[in-house]
């Protein structure tokens, strides 16, 4: 069967109130000790499979989880075990799962690539979870017509720890709440989760106990940053407009949710921040470009997503400058520049931005949107491919138009000291301000570069969303040239931002003049590289 659940981390400040709401008269407390198994090389984990034997009250249950949509739904199979046999294996320290029970189940295809007898021989206990679970059934009273309603959700609050299988001194605390749909409609699941999310400021997490256990035995706090995976973009020529936009949003969430989960759990890693920022940009481009593909798109989503991206971008730029750019310059002989005061001036850190309740609620609504039925919409009979050629051509023309300004700008006759112009906005704020700005007025290289980079990224993301509906051979060269230009423009834009940072800093710290001069020289080579890569795009044959 498919398990559909939403998992949240609970902020410490709201924990006491939440526990009072969870532990009501009708709630039940149960102690659960789970043993998780895998091969020494983490074969099952790499295949997205979790395997455990867990004591639930007085009963031992073997559970396997796999597949699903990567967000809220997973394939799950539970099998009751003989308590005496399990206890005997525990006494002999020989507890081992029985994989033969899956031969005639829905899980069988997931294990088809494994030789079960050989796999069983190499399975070892990797880690143990020791959890006190409080469960409560949340039900919808009745429908508007007075008839009975079968909507039911199991709320489960877990408090405990994960323990290393071979070293019980290595432990990690567990404190999370889950909402699992037991019966009824998905709408009730999401409505209930939103109510609790608002009340207790909960934060979505896609990190399973199995994943956390795997990190514990590796000595890691967080999983690596997740990039966009276009192999998981499941669209075809027969995709309707509502189905197409849902698939694109889902693909963006597969990048957004793992990275946001790491950040709300405490990660300050630049990789998580960067990939979340990129994922949000991809999503805002999809929502903006395909806004007429579904009548269920909420116009309130985009401003919240853009604001979060802007906050992440502001922080990431300065944090990367401090952690990477400044040390690199010092290695080349630059005097040290103290950025401590600048960092302290940033009022909203990534963890604050991602934990913000409006952002978390928006993520919930987006997940609900991807899981809703596209066939019920009025445009379900209209094919996405019939609209895409016009959209792609329009975006392509916008890029070529703004690119002409880049080609016409004369680098050699410019005053490099004026590059940090007043109208140069941050990379993140351009998402909000420049998408529809196609003015052809004379402006600085900063503004021209900003617009060119913005239109190029938009076209690249839209092309990625649409490409699966067209011949792969035709799109190969298109993406090669786009990717090269996007990389060179991105580097150029970043260097321009850093040059401006050091130039502004030099007003109060003369040591920053070295960095300003360094990037001024670097930018000249960046400009020539960008011109070369952009010229290739002008001759790029459209794949649509």
């Amino acid at each position: 069967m498919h398990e559909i659940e939403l998992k949240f981390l609970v902020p410490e400040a709201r924990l006491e109130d939440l526990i009072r709401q969870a532990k009501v008269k009708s709630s039940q407390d149960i102690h659960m000790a789970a043993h998780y198994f895998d091969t020494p090389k983490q074969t099952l984990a790499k295949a997205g499979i979790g395997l455990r034997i867990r004591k639930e009250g007085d009963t031992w249950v073997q559970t396997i989880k796999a597949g699903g949509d990567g967000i809220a739904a997973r394939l799950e199979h539970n099998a009751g075990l003989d308590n005496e046999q399990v206890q005997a294996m525990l006494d002999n320290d020989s507890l081992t799962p029985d994989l033969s029970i899956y031969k005639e189940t829905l899980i069988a295809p997931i294990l088809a690539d494994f030789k079960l007898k050989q796999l069983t021989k190499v399975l070892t206990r990797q880690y143990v979870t020791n959890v006190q679970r409080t469960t409560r059934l949340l039900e919808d009273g009745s429908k508007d017509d007075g008839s009975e309603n079968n909507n039911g959700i199991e709320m489960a609050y877990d408090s405990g720890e994960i323990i290393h299988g071979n070293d019980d001194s290595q432990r990690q605390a567990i404190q999370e709440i889950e909402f699992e749909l037991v019966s009824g409609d998905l709408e009730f699941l999401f409505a209930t989760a939103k109510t609790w999310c608002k009340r207790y400021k909960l934060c979505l997490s896609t990190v399973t106990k199995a994943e956390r256990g795997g990190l514990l035995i590796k000595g890691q706090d967080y999983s690596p940053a997740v990039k966009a995976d276009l192999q998981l973009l499941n669209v075809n020529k027969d995709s309707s407009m509502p189905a197409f936009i849902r698939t694109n949003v889902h693909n963006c969430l597969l990048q957004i949710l793992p990275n946001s989960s790491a950040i709300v759990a405490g990660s300050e890693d630049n990789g998580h921040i960067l990939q979340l920022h990129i994922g949000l940009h991809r999503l805002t481009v999809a929502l903006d470009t395909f806004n007429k593909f579904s009548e269920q798109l909420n116009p309130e989503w985009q401003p919240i997503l853009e604001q979060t991206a802007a906050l992440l971008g502001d922080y990431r730029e300065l944090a990367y400058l401090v952690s990477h750019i400044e040390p690199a310059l010092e290695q080349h002989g630059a005097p040290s520049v103290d950025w401590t005061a600048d960092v302290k001036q940033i009022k909203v850190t990534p963890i604050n931005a991602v934990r913000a309740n409006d952002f978390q609620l928006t993520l919930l609504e987006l997940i609900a949107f991807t899981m809703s039925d596209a066939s019920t919409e009025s445009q379900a009979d209209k094919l996405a491919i019939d609209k895409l050629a016009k959209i792609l051509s329009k975006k392509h023309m916008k890029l070529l138009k703004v690119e002409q300004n880049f080609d016409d700008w004369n680098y050699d006759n410019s005053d490099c000291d004026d590059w940090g112009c007043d109208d140069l906005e941050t990379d993140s704020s351009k998402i909000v301000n420049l998408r529809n700005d196609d003015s052809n007025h004379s402006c600085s290289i900063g503004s021209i570069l900003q617009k060119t980079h913005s239109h190029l990224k938009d076209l690249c993301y839209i092309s990625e969303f649409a490409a699966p509906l067209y011949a792969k051979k035709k799109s190969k060269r298109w993406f090669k040239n786009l990717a090269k230009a996007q990389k060179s423009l991105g580097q150029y834009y970043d260097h321009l931002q850093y040059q401006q940072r050091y130039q502004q800093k030099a007003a109060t710290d003369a040591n920053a003049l070295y960095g300003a001069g360094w990037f001024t020289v670097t930018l000249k080579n960046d400009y020539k590289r960008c011109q070369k890569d952009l010229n290739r795009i002008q001759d790029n044959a459209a794949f649509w």
Side-chain angles (χ1 to χ4, degrees):
M1 61 173 291
H2 273 92
E3 169 194 61
I4 300 178
E5 70 175 19
L6 299 166
K7 184 196 299 287
F8 298 86
L9 300 184
V10 185
E12 193 68 33
R14 300 286 179 143
L15 181 58
E16 188 176 337
D17 290 339
L18 182 139
I19 291 176
R20 277 200 298 266
Q21 187 64 23
K23 293 181 178 292
V24 296
K25 287 184 179 181
S26 60
S27 65
Q28 295 182 338
D29 288 330
I30 184 172
H31 178 258
M32 300 190 302
H35 304 256
Y36 286 78
F37 296 85
D38 205 337
T39 70
K41 294 183 178 180
Q42 304 290 297
T43 306
L44 293 179
K46 291 175 182 177
I49 299 172
L51 178 63
R52 75 179 181 224
I53 296 177
R54 184 169 75 181
K55 188 175 185 182
E56 302 177 4
D58 297 325
T59 305
W60 284 95
V61 179
Q62 180 174 308
T63 299
I64 188 169
K65 295 186 180 185
D69 66 356
I71 297 177
R74 297 195 77 192
L75 197 61
E76 176 182 341
H77 184 280
N78 296 297
L81 302 178
D82 185 289
N83 286 3
E84 292 185 1
Q85 289 183 1
V86 173
Q87 191 58 53
M89 286 189 287
L90 285 171
D91 293 340
N92 296 324
D93 196 24
S94 60
L95 184 63
T96 305
D98 178 9
L99 300 183
S100 65
I101 63 180
Y102 302 122
K103 289 183 178 180
E104 304 298 329
T105 68
L106 294 175
I107 289 289
I110 303 295
L111 297 171
D113 294 335
F114 299 98
K115 296 180 179 179
L116 298 187
K117 288 185 178 180
Q118 294 182 12
L119 179 61
T120 301
K121 292 179 181 179
V122 294
L123 288 175
T124 60
R125 184 176 65 184
Q126 301 292 302
Y127 48 90
V128 177
T129 60
N130 187 19
V131 171
Q132 191 69 24
R133 168 168 287 188
T134 298
T135 62
R136 177 184 167 191
L137 186 61
L138 305 174
E139 295 180 295
D140 202 2
S142 61
K143 296 182 179 179
D144 293 337
D145 59 7
S147 61
E148 292 185 1
N149 198 332
N150 294 322
N151 287 333
I153 296 169
E154 182 184 73
M155 179 226 71
Y157 167 67
D158 290 344
S159 178
E161 57 186 355
I162 302 175
I163 307 166
H164 195 293
N166 300 315
D167 181 2
D168 61 10
S169 67
Q170 296 186 45
R171 300 171 179 238
Q172 189 178 96
I174 297 173
Q175 190 170 282
E176 59 193 26
I177 187 168
E178 301 172 359
F179 299 90
E180 181 178 354
L181 185 65
V182 177
S183 61
D185 302 324
L186 276 171
E187 289 84 353
F188 181 60
L189 171 65
F190 284 98
T192 303
K194 283 177 65 177
T195 298
W196 283 67
C197 186
K198 287 179 183 178
R199 186 178 301 164
Y200 302 109
K201 310 304 181 204
L202 304 179
C203 295
L204 274 162
S205 176
T206 58
V207 185
T208 64
K209 292 182 180 67
E211 185 178 346
R212 292 182 64 182
L215 292 171
L216 179 65
I217 62 178
K218 294 177 185 176
Q220 300 173 355
D221 293 323
Y222 313 102
S223 295
V226 175
K227 297 181 179 180
D229 188 348
L230 298 175
Q231 298 298 317
L232 301 177
L233 188 61
N234 299 316
V235 294
N236 54 56
K237 292 183 179 180
D238 296 326
S239 294
S240 67
M241 291 167 59
F244 179 79
I245 182 60
R246 279 170 172 79
T247 302
N248 289 321
V249 171
H250 179 268
N251 189 259
C252 293
L253 289 176
L254 290 178
Q255 180 181 13
I256 289 169
L257 290 171
N259 293 302
S260 66
S261 297
I263 293 172
V264 298
S267 173
E268 297 179 345
D269 180 68
N270 180 72
H272 289 128
I273 298 170
L274 173 61
Q275 291 305 320
L276 176 56
H277 186 266
I278 292 173
L280 291 173
H281 192 181
R282 292 178 66 230
L283 180 55
T284 55
V285 169
L287 293 175
D288 181 63
T289 305
F290 308 118
N291 64 85
K292 295 182 180 179
F293 277 41
S294 171
E295 59 207 26
Q296 295 182 17
L297 293 176
N298 186 344
E300 295 180 2
W301 293 340
Q302 197 158 334
I304 294 171
L305 297 171
E306 289 171 343
Q307 180 187 44
T308 306
L311 293 170
L312 292 172
D314 291 344
Y315 179 90
R316 190 188 70 83
E317 181 189 311
L318 186 55
Y320 190 81
L321 185 152
V322 172
S323 62
H324 291 76
I325 301 300
E326 181 64 23
L329 288 176
E330 290 180 14
Q331 286 184 355
H332 285 86
S336 177
V337 178
D338 186 5
W339 295 93
T340 305
D342 301 78
V343 174
K344 288 182 177 179
Q345 286 179 357
I346 298 179
K347 297 179 180 180
V348 182
T349 62
I351 193 170
N352 299 140
V354 178
R355 283 184 176 179
N357 203 225
D358 59 352
F359 178 66
Q360 290 295 321
L361 290 170
T362 299
L363 291 181
L364 263 178
E365 292 179 5
L366 285 162
I367 296 171
F369 171 70
T370 64
M371 298 182 74
S372 62
D373 189 355
S375 66
T376 62
E377 292 205 37
S378 60
Q379 299 187 95
D381 60 339
K382 297 180 180 179
L383 297 180
I385 196 169
D386 293 340
K387 303 289 183 180
L388 292 177
K390 183 177 180 180
I391 291 173
L392 285 162
S393 296
K394 186 176 180 180
K395 290 291 183 180
H396 189 203
M397 290 305 298
K398 282 187 176 182
L399 173 62
L400 294 179
K401 183 178 179 181
V402 74
E403 181 188 332
Q404 189 60 50
N405 288 337
F406 190 94
D407 288 338
D408 292 343
W409 190 81
N410 191 336
Y411 178 95
D412 293 322
N413 293 330
S414 69
D415 183 352
C416 292
D417 290 335
D418 290 334
W419 279 17
C421 58
D422 291 337
D423 64 347
L424 179 60
E425 299 170 279
T426 64
D427 178 62
S428 51
S429 61
K430 80 174 186 302
I431 299 174
V432 184
N433 297 327
L434 288 176
R435 181 159 295 129
N436 298 315
D437 183 3
D438 296 308
S439 57
N440 219 358
H441 61 277
S442 176
C443 55
S444 72
I445 183 58
S447 180
I448 295 171
L449 172 60
Q450 184 185 54
K451 293 177 184 178
T452 308
H453 191 210
S454 177
H455 283 296
L456 178 61
K457 287 203 293 185
D458 284 4
L459 180 60
C460 187
Y461 295 145
I462 296 166
S463 298
E464 289 174 349
F465 294 140
L469 280 68
Y470 296 90
K472 186 176 182 180
K473 189 175 181 180
K474 288 185 178 181
S475 63
K476 188 174 181 180
R477 183 185 176 190
W478 172 268
F479 281 113
K480 182 179 179 180
N481 289 336
L482 244 65
K484 197 166 186 179
Q486 185 178 0
K487 182 178 179 180
S488 61
L489 254 74
Q491 184 181 56
Y492 188 8
Y493 189 85
D494 287 343
H495 289 171
L496 186 56
Q497 296 287 80
Y498 297 138
Q499 191 267 354
Q500 183 177 339
R501 287 267 188 186
Y502 277 97
Q503 190 178 56
Q504 292 172 345
K505 187 72 171 177
T508 57
D509 185 350
N511 287 349
L513 288 171
Y514 186 102
W518 174 278
F519 281 109
T520 297
V521 174
T522 302
L523 288 167
K524 186 171 183 177
N525 293 327
D526 289 342
Y527 176 77
K528 292 179 179 179
R529 188 183 304 111
C530 285
Q531 268 198 322
K532 182 179 178 181
D533 291 338
L534 285 172
N535 286 337
R536 289 195 181 97
I537 293 179
Q538 294 179 356
D539 301 324
N540 220 8
F543 66 86
W544 55 88

